Structure formats: C-alpha cells, structure tokens
Amino acid sequence: MPMKYIMEPFRIKMVEPIKKTTREYRLECLKKAGYNMFSLHSEDVYIDMQTDSGTGANSQFQYAAMMTADESYGGARGYYQVLNAVQDIFGYTYAQPVHQGRACEKVLFPCLLGPGKYAISNHFFDTTNGHVVMTGARAINLPCEESKHADVPAPFKGNIDLEKLEATIQEKGAENIGMILMTITNNSVGGQPVSMANLRATGAIAKKYGIPFVIDAARYAENAYFIKTREEGYADKTVREIVKEEFSYADAFSMSAKKDAIASMGGIIGVKENEDLIKQVRLKTIPNEGFLTYGGLSGRDIAAMAVGLYEGIDDDFLAYRVGQTQYLGEKLHEMGIPLQYPVGGNAIYLDSAAIMKHIPWYEFPAQALSVALYLEGGIRGGDIGSLSLDRDPDTHEQQRADIEFCRLCLARRVYTQAHLDYVADVIKYCADHAADYPGYKITEETPVLRHFTVKLEPLGEVK
Ligand code: F0G
C-alpha cells in the first residue's frame, strides 16, 4: 500500500521536552547571538534543524553497548568491533577511529596533499574545504550542471562533472592532483545523491591518472538508498550490497560517524589496502587524536558507533529516514516553495534567493531566511550559501555560492510528522511575508570557517 508518510519503525520510550517561546523573546535571543544561528542557546530553539550531525536518537541497543563498553587505553574491545564492521560493511582492510569527521580530514589530508597540490571534488563540505586549504593545497569543486538548477528535477544532482574532472586533471597535471574526493551524498548542493555510474566512472578516471580516490562517507547509506530506488539495476539489491559496490571504486574513506552511523560523536578513516597510507594515518593519529585503539573517543562513543554503523544501513530504517525528508520536500513543493528538488536525504535546502527576491547574494538571503524562520517559529536552520563559503584564500574576495541555500536538517529518529507539518507552515508564512525581512552584513569574521563564529547586523529593521 503506498503511504504518504512512512511510519517510524520504532516506538518512543524516552522523551526530551521542547519549549515554545514568544516572538519577542526570540528577537532578543537573535540580537544577543549577533544573528548567528550557532550562537543561539539550544534551549531557546523549538525545532532544531541546524544539523543532522550527532543529533540522532540513540537506540536501546546503542545504550546497552555503552553500558558495557571497554574503556581501556590500549586494545579496547570497541576498536575491534569497528574494525570488523568496516571490513564487513565496506570490504576495507584498515580502519582508524578518530573523534569526528574533521579529525579524519586533519589526519588523512596531509598524507595526500600539501603546498602546490590540488584536491578535486563533486563539492567539498566546509570543514573539508578548510582542511584542504590548511595543508597548503587548493580545493576545486566540480559539481554537475544539474545541481545548479534547483527547480529542474534530476535523480542524481550530487554527481561530479566528469568532463570537467578530466579536463582539470589535464590542465593542472595529474602529478599535482593529490586526491579526488566524492562527497556522498553531496551536502553542499542539497544532500543530493551520486549515482553508481558516476562513482564508477570517477574511480576509472582516478585509476587512469594514478590519483588517490577518497569517499567522504558521512551520508553513504542514504546515498545507497537513493541508488536502490532511482538507478536502473539496483532495485533488487540490498543497501549493504550497494554500499560494497560504492566503496569498491575508491581507495580510502573519511567518515563523520555522526550522520549515517547515528553516533553522537565519532569518525572513521577507512583504507582499502594501501599499507603505506594506513601507516601514515596511524603516525598522525597518535599525537593528534590519541592511541590507535581509541582515537580521541571514549569506549562508550566507540561502542555506540559500532552498533550505529549497522542500524544506519538497515533498509527499513532508510525507507523511513529518506521518506521523512521526501514527505516534507513534497509538501513544500506542492505549496510552491522554491527548493532544491527533488529533495536529498538529510535536509530540505530552500532556494533563498528565489524566496527573498529583494536581497542580493552579498547580503546573504539564506541567512536572512534562517533568521526569519527562527523569529517566526523558533526553527533553527542555517545558511549553506555565500555566507558559509569562506573568502577566496588567495584574493580574499567574497565567494558566491551557486545557490543560496537555507538548510533545514532532519535529525535521525527525533521528530515526527506533526513537527514536519509545523515546519512547513512556518516556511510558508515566511515565504509569504518575505519582503518584510532585511539582508545582513558581516561585522566580525575569521579567515577560515568563519560562519561558525561570524557576527552580523541586519541592513534594515527586523520588525
Ligand atoms: N563531510 C561532510 C559531507 C559533512 O557534512 C561533515 C559535517 C563533515 C565532513 C565533517 O564532519 O562534523 O563530524 O567533523 N557536517 C555537519 C553538517 C557539521 O551539519 O552538515 P564532523
């Protein structure tokens, strides 16, 4: 029976109350926070859609594993559980736990990159971009053309532009390309999936030119579910079979386990078979993250991650998970709200320049919409547009995003259909009153990853 909303495949036995505040109070909160969503106190947020990272609800099995976790410094049991899971799920020989995704980047990227090198991607996430730049290398994003047209539907808007990839390798010289990185799903263009065909072709190009191929695996399970439901030839395969094939084309992965592995904290570097690379990774892990078998995590974190890795690739869980995002996306689409369409796995990405038509890109329409959603409904999302792009590291010019996205993430196993219906109503209200909201200017910023701590001022009255 087709269902408009795929029911939660769980029942709830512990609840966390949320508090609705007044509009007046929220305006004060915004002023105190310098209009920065990261600076709001989470207690003042009604529906928190800032991220799907580390915000998922743990299962009873994860809590049980945490209670019996091994907290030894050397050789703790959790390490071997993670290693076994990586060998089993991805078919990779080596695994190095670290404390989160950006720790993978900090440890792995200097093994492949350095001054004078380039890293090419379907799109680097902000921290990923930051860690490329911090090695002295330069990041090149080559998202496919379809990703730049929010209202034109395409099944795999997360793909890399293969023609540009090969042309860029030839232009810069293969010996200067330190890695090709595929972000699956592609967060920066709307949580959009990458097709198996695109992964396979990228793997072939990497092999042809002898360039290491790395997967940014934060949302690899959602990506596999999209392949199952959208790509010809995969409908009868299980998510686990699809995951194995996805990773067979790459040499290594960098995974924030806070997303599809449903951990509150954790990351994993996976290396398929390159012994030299894992040796370098281990060398960098000990001084930066801690001893190899705990990698900056408590035994409890590792235990929850080892269980979450399996819960996150369950076909029924993914049908509900991706179904929830699709439900909200379709509802907004029917309301005529401009957004990256069809929606991806982890979030709704509103096309803020199309909603806030009066705000030019350099006055950050996605930030303006994020502020409006918090003001009117206590909903916290965030800018994945020009504000979240750092300035060009060489020219220091403000970079312009292809699309000014306001991202509203769905935490895993946290909110229900009623919450999503409320969110849709608040978005509609803000879109209908768009002309009332001003743009923003930056008053304080840092050179790298500025959006986390930026301070802003409205360029008009927030009524
Ligand atoms: N790669 C991708 C694709 C990500 O989305 C993130 C984090 C990271 C790497 C870094 O992982 O947070 O564990 O250090 N994304 C979060 C987000 C923060 O909100 O999308 P981390």
Side-chain angles (χ1 to χ4, degrees), residues 42-270:
S42 74
E43 284 185 356
D44 297 329
V45 174
Y46 190 39
I47 307 282
D48 204 343
M49 305 184 82
Q50 182 172 42
T51 182
D52 61 317
S53 180
T55 51
N58 286 136
S59 70
Q60 60 181 1
F61 302 110
Q62 287 178 297
Y63 278 110
M66 284 189 244
M67 293 300 285
T68 54
D70 179 353
E71 300 294 348
S72 305
Y73 195 102
R77 193 169 56 241
Y79 169 78
Y80 299 101
Q81 287 167 342
V82 168
L83 182 62
N84 286 339
V86 166
Q87 290 172 347
D88 179 32
I89 297 169
F90 304 98
Y92 280 24
T93 309
Y94 306 110
Q96 179 54 59
V98 291
H99 86 271
Q100 65 180 100
R102 65 202 71 181
C104 300
E105 296 153 16
K106 181 180 69 180
V107 168
L108 178 65
F109 289 4
C111 303
L112 303 169
L113 302 171
K117 296 271 183 193
Y118 294 92
I120 308 177
S121 176
N122 56 342
H123 213 301
F124 290 101
F125 179 65
D126 56 19
T127 61
T128 324
N129 183 80
H131 277 290
V132 168
V133 173
M134 284 195 282
T135 68
R138 290 292 174 257
I140 301 174
N141 292 315
L142 300 177
C144 66
E145 190 54 35
E146 299 94 287
S147 72
K148 298 171 191 169
H149 306 279
D151 53 350
V152 181
F156 292 103
K157 287 183 165 184
N159 285 351
I160 197 166
D161 186 323
L162 293 165
E163 268 176 36
K164 283 192 189 156
L165 172 62
E166 203 150 7
T168 308
I169 295 170
Q170 284 168 2
E171 183 204 319
K172 304 285 184 199
E175 67 285 4
N176 298 320
I177 315 290
M179 70 173 174
I180 298 171
L181 180 138
M182 288 288 265
T183 311
I184 63 171
T185 58
N186 195 341
N187 190 357
S188 310
V189 308
Q192 292 290 316
V194 176
S195 72
M196 192 69 89
N198 197 254
L199 282 169
R200 196 181 299 125
T202 305
I205 291 173
K207 209 172 202 161
K208 177 172 158 192
Y209 292 97
I211 301 167
F213 179 16
V214 179
I215 290 180
D216 180 338
R219 300 180 182 85
Y220 75 101
E222 289 170 11
N223 199 84
Y225 188 76
F226 279 114
I227 289 175
K228 181 181 167 79
T229 49
R230 290 188 186 167
E231 193 161 350
E232 214 184 307
Y234 288 93
D236 297 331
K237 295 209 183 318
T238 62
V239 164
R240 289 192 59 170
E241 287 168 330
I242 296 169
V243 167
K244 268 260 169 67
E245 186 183 340
E246 281 177 339
F247 285 78
S248 72
Y249 301 120
D251 303 302
F253 68 75
S254 162
M255 180 198 290
S256 167
K258 300 171 71 173
K259 284 87 171 171
D260 278 358
I262 325 181
S264 303
M265 191 53 69
I268 306 172
I269 298 167

Side-chain angles (χ1 to χ4, degrees), residues 367-389:
Q367 177 63 18
L369 182 55
S370 305
V371 171
L373 292 171
Y374 177 72
L375 183 66
E376 305 301 348
I379 297 166
R380 172 158 67 173
D383 177 293
I384 303 274
S386 297
L387 182 66
S388 72
L389 289 180

Side-chain angles (χ1 to χ4, degrees), residues 369-413:
L369 182 55
S370 305
V371 171
L373 292 171
Y374 177 72
L375 183 66
E376 305 301 348
I379 297 166
R380 172 158 67 173
D383 177 293
I384 303 274
S386 297
L387 182 66
S388 72
L389 289 180
D390 281 333
R391 288 173 185 275
D392 183 290
D394 298 316
T395 65
H396 304 290
E397 297 244 334
Q398 170 65 55
Q399 302 190 79
R400 182 179 183 174
D402 288 324
I403 306 180
E404 301 294 336
F405 286 128
C406 165
R407 187 184 72 165
L408 298 171
C409 287
L410 281 88
R412 290 167 186 77
R413 308 191 288 209

